[in-house]
Amino acid sequence: MPKQTRSSVPLADYDGESAQFGSQPDISQLVVEYHEDLFRYAYRLSGSQADAEDLTQQAYLIAQHKLGQLRNSDRARSWLFTVLRNCFLKSRRRKTIFSASSLQLDVDAIPDDYSSEDNVDREQLQLALNELAPEFRVVVTMFYFEQLSYKEIADQLQVPVGTVMSRLSRAKGHLRRRLLPEFEVD
Amino acid sequence: MNKNDLQRLMDACRSGYEDHELPEMKKLADQIDQDPHLRDLYERSQRWDFSIGDAFREVDVPLGFASRLHATLNAAHGDFQTLKFTNSDASVVAQEIDKVTVFRRSSADVPQVISRRGSFWKMGLASIAALILMTCGALWWPSDQVLELSSMVHSTMHWRHLVNDQSWQSELKNVLLDYPDRYVAARPHRWQHVKGPLDRRTLVFDLVTQGGRRAMLFVARVSTEVRGTTAPPEVPATTGGWSVGVWHEKGYVYVLMVEGREDRYRGLLSRRLPVA
């Protein structure tokens, strides 16, 4: 599997390929360039391959319809993420899975040594994500996947900064407890 | 500042960024400078975030997903309309269809072949073969030269195994004549001929679906009377994870099948179906 870059790479930072986009990318180019990123993002949000495919496809169909709204091709990637995220939230608005109040903070639930990425089980990660309510899952996915700051997340979701910080901390605490079983009991 | 507040601030700091040096994080930065234990905790938290960030992106993308997206977007964009057949195309296709040898269940031809050979031994074998053929035909054909769609629905579930994934053709222009687009909303993106039970050149369309689920439409020409619905049934037959609907119209039998539940099947249909 191709390894992802650590940072959130804007379209303009791509060498070569971005030059083909010109001022207005067409939808085929956006598929070639971003379908893998979008699928992965959708998978982490939805928790299943079928739903991730549906979400990605739905996002591209909307993007195709509203491509004229994309005035700056440098923002194509984040624009597509936003479209997809809105599709997800719309589909899950009434399906609260996990109560936010049960997510406790856990300062000590961090192990001494987890420098290797092998310490994170990808399937366990998804199971833990699936237990989160959509609004928590979205925030934590924007943080880890898009590497947005809490202010950028608040801005994009149009919610207060404090709400984002709270959701982020609770969601991360939940992940720590689920992925580090020895720290389950605080 | 209590430890929960500190944790909240630490959790807001991204790995690989200097977020803790932002003005609004000054309290956290000061505490980290003063408290070696907290500094250690912060560094561990950053390493943890780094690992989780990598794990977030470690997702396999299904093979062929980009192609399916392209096909869906092309269909949605109206490329299908440009592929609509013209009258001249229709005549070409009609001629092509007429070349097809329709499967006939009469045994009349069999004795002729035998008589030319003039061999009693071969005649005996051929007679047995003819008898088997007639018996199979009688079993398969429930009434005299009348095809009952209701009795063949479940056998059509197996039609999908006739498809050869290496034989798809993407040029749709000359085959769209047979596509029942007033009933089926899903668009085809490739096709092939298969040797089906009703027609030796049954046309199969591979359809574009939401989420890339497998869906196919079989179009078989029949030369005999058919009894059954003349529009796609709203409630399909389901088995083995597939949903199937069968109908006929103007000498053709249509078999629409999709991998998944009934709602997947209904998602393929036009919303302007005639009232049954």
Side-chain angles (χ1 to χ4, degrees):
Chain A
M1 184 190 324
K3 195 79 175 165
Q4 293 294 300
T5 52
R6 286 280 317 150
S7 60
S8 177
V9 184
L11 184 63
D13 290 347
Y14 279 93
D15 293 328
E17 286 178 313
S18 61
Q20 299 168 13
F21 276 30
S23 56
Q24 179 71 62
D26 70 35
I27 197 69
S28 298
Q29 290 168 322
L30 295 182
V31 170
V32 170
E33 192 80 9
Y34 300 119
H35 79 278
E36 291 187 346
D37 268 358
L38 252 68
F39 176 83
R40 292 182 176 118
Y41 192 73
Y43 181 80
R44 289 305 183 199
L45 286 176
S46 66
S48 84
Q49 179 172 315
D51 287 346
E53 288 194 25
D54 281 352
L55 266 177
T56 308
Q57 185 168 287
Q58 194 180 352
Y60 270 117
L61 284 167
I62 292 170
Q64 183 178 38
H65 186 62
K66 298 186 174 180
L67 200 56
Q69 294 179 1
L70 179 61
R71 303 206 192 286
N72 182 356
S73 61
D74 290 354
R75 295 191 52 78
R77 184 175 183 267
S78 63
W79 180 67
L80 287 168
F81 279 141
T82 302
V83 172
L84 190 147
R85 194 167 55 240
N86 288 341
C87 291
F88 169 74
L89 285 172
K90 196 172 177 183
S91 69
R92 303 296 172 98
R93 200 152 280 159
R94 294 176 186 172
K95 296 181 183 174
T96 301
I97 299 169
F98 202 86
S99 166
S101 61
S102 66
L103 300 175
Q104 297 171 349
L105 295 175
D106 56 342
V107 175
D108 299 322
I110 303 175
D112 289 335
D113 182 19
Y114 44 83
S115 56
S116 165
E117 64 181 66
D118 292 335
N119 286 342
V120 179
D121 184 307
R122 280 107 186 108
E123 288 184 13
Q124 289 298 318
L125 170 63
Q126 192 58 51
L127 290 173
L129 283 171
N130 292 348
E131 292 174 336
L132 291 168
E135 61 268 27
F136 285 78
R137 214 182 311 164
V138 162
V139 167
V140 82
T141 303
M142 292 173 82
F143 181 84
Y144 281 121
F145 200 101
E146 294 186 74
Q147 296 207 315
L148 298 177
S149 72
Y150 67 95
K151 285 181 182 174
E152 290 168 325
I153 294 170
D155 186 48
Q156 291 208 17
L157 295 179
Q158 297 185 322
V159 295
V161 164
T163 303
V164 170
M165 291 179 81
S166 175
R167 287 179 185 175
L168 194 53
S169 193
R170 286 165 184 265
K172 288 172 77 171
H174 173 71
L175 294 183
R176 283 192 287 265
R177 278 192 299 278
R178 282 289 183 265
L179 298 172
L180 304 165
E182 64 268 36
F183 291 94
E184 256 183 12
V185 180
D186 294 336
Chain B
M1 179 171 276
N2 64 35
K3 71 178 192 176
N4 282 351
D5 290 335
L6 286 172
Q7 177 75 64
R8 197 161 165 258
L9 291 176
M10 280 197 297
D11 281 338
C13 295
R14 293 167 295 173
S15 174
Y17 294 77
E18 301 298 325
D19 287 347
H20 69 288
E21 293 182 357
L22 293 169
E24 62 269 27
M25 295 287 181
K26 188 173 185 311
K27 285 181 181 173
L28 173 65
D30 288 346
Q31 292 277 347
I32 288 172
D33 284 343
Q34 293 164 17
D35 185 347
H37 175 71
L38 187 65
R39 183 163 56 246
D40 180 54
L41 191 65
Y42 178 76
E43 287 169 359
R44 281 191 278 148
S45 175
Q46 291 281 293
R47 290 199 297 273
W48 165 254
D49 279 348
F50 187 91
S51 300
I52 292 287
D54 269 352
F56 255 77
R57 298 180 192 82
E58 290 283 342
V59 177
D60 291 324
V61 178
L63 284 174
F65 184 48
S67 300
R68 292 199 294 278
L69 281 173
H70 281 302
T72 301
L73 293 168
N74 284 337
H77 193 249
D79 282 4
F80 176 78
Q81 294 302 318
T82 65
L83 291 170
K84 283 281 191 184
F85 51 86
T86 62
N87 286 338
S88 58
D89 293 330
S91 65
V92 170
V93 177
Q95 288 168 13
E96 188 64 24
I97 289 169
D98 284 339
K99 291 178 190 170
V100 174
T101 306
V102 178
F103 187 76
R104 299 182 193 285
R105 278 148 195 85
S106 165
S107 60
D109 291 338
V110 178
Q112 290 173 11
V113 174
I114 294 165
S115 63
R116 282 200 294 273
R117 308 228 172 196
S119 162
F120 179 80
W121 181 75
K122 287 179 180 175
M123 186 183 290
L125 277 181
S127 298
I128 293 168
L131 185 64
I132 292 170
L133 195 64
M134 286 164 59
T135 306
C136 291
L139 286 173
W140 187 76
W141 215 256
S143 59
D144 186 27
Q145 298 292 302
V146 174
L147 177 62
E148 293 278 358
L149 292 187
S150 59
S151 65
M152 61 172 281
V153 171
H154 283 278
S155 68
T156 61
M157 296 284 187
H158 304 292
W159 287 22
R160 68 178 190 272
H161 300 304
L162 301 171
V163 170
N164 181 349
D165 275 334
Q166 309 303 316
S167 302
W168 291 113
Q169 299 183 56
S170 55
E171 179 54 64
L172 288 160
K173 187 178 171 185
N174 289 331
V175 293
L176 283 178
L177 174 68
D178 294 330
Y179 195 78
D181 52 326
R182 72 187 176 116
Y183 291 147
V184 182
R187 299 308 183 202
H189 68 109
R190 53 187 186 171
W191 67 277
Q192 67 177 266
H193 277 128
V194 297
K195 189 176 179 181
L198 301 183
D199 177 354
R200 292 199 311 195
R201 278 165 66 85
T202 297
L203 191 54
V204 191
F205 292 100
D206 195 21
L207 307 183
V208 176
T209 63
Q210 281 278 337
R213 284 178 175 73
R214 200 79 197 273
M216 288 176 282
L217 175 73
F218 293 78
V219 183
R221 184 183 169 101
V222 290
S223 58
T224 188
E225 185 184 345
V226 183
R227 285 183 193 153
T229 179
T230 54
E234 279 199 54
V235 180
T238 55
T239 185
W242 286 72
S243 298
V244 180
V246 181
W247 74 99
H248 76 101
E249 188 179 34
K250 296 177 182 173
Y252 289 91
V253 169
Y254 299 93
V255 178
L256 178 63
M257 60 177 67
V258 60
E259 194 174 12
R261 303 180 303 268
E262 288 185 17
D263 55 332
R264 296 287 174 193
Y265 167 87
R266 278 192 281 273
L268 301 177
L269 301 179
S270 165
R271 292 181 181 175
R272 292 174 297 169
L273 282 177
V275 178

